[in-house]
Amino acid sequence: VAVIDRNISFGCGGILAQEIRSALAMLPAAPPVFDYIMGLGGRDITPKDIRGILEQTCKEDQPEQERQWVGLMK
């Protein structure tokens, strides 16, 4: 499950991703949740960014990191 979070709770990560992880936690085979933090401070989220997220999520079984920051180092 790929989640694009436009907000963050420091120490916990993206707020929506945390809610989705909690909702899925009781499933016997819960899918991995990929948390992408982007669009902070009014930055644009482009179709290219979304394509990159989809490609990365589809090719990996588990997220490399608990959360990934996208588009903040420009």
Side-chain angles (χ1 to χ4, degrees):
V1 176
V3 179
I4 297 175
D5 263 308
R6 294 189 68 152
N7 53 43
I8 186 167
S9 173
F10 292 103
C12 293
I15 296 169
L16 181 59
Q18 288 298 329
E19 292 292 326
I20 291 174
R21 280 189 187 103
S22 295
L24 298 174
M26 299 305 287
L27 292 177
V33 176
F34 291 74
D35 185 11
Y36 297 96
I37 309 291
M38 58 192 309
L40 297 179
R43 289 180 176 86
D44 289 336
I45 298 174
T46 66
K48 180 181 175 184
D49 293 331
I50 294 173
R51 274 191 299 277
I53 286 169
L54 288 173
E55 289 171 5
Q56 181 177 0
T57 303
C58 289
K59 75 177 181 180
E60 295 180 13
D61 292 332
Q62 294 290 325
E64 290 179 14
Q65 304 169 355
E66 187 173 351
R67 69 196 56 88
Q68 302 212 20
W69 300 80
V70 180
L72 296 177
M73 302 297 184
K74 290 186 179 182

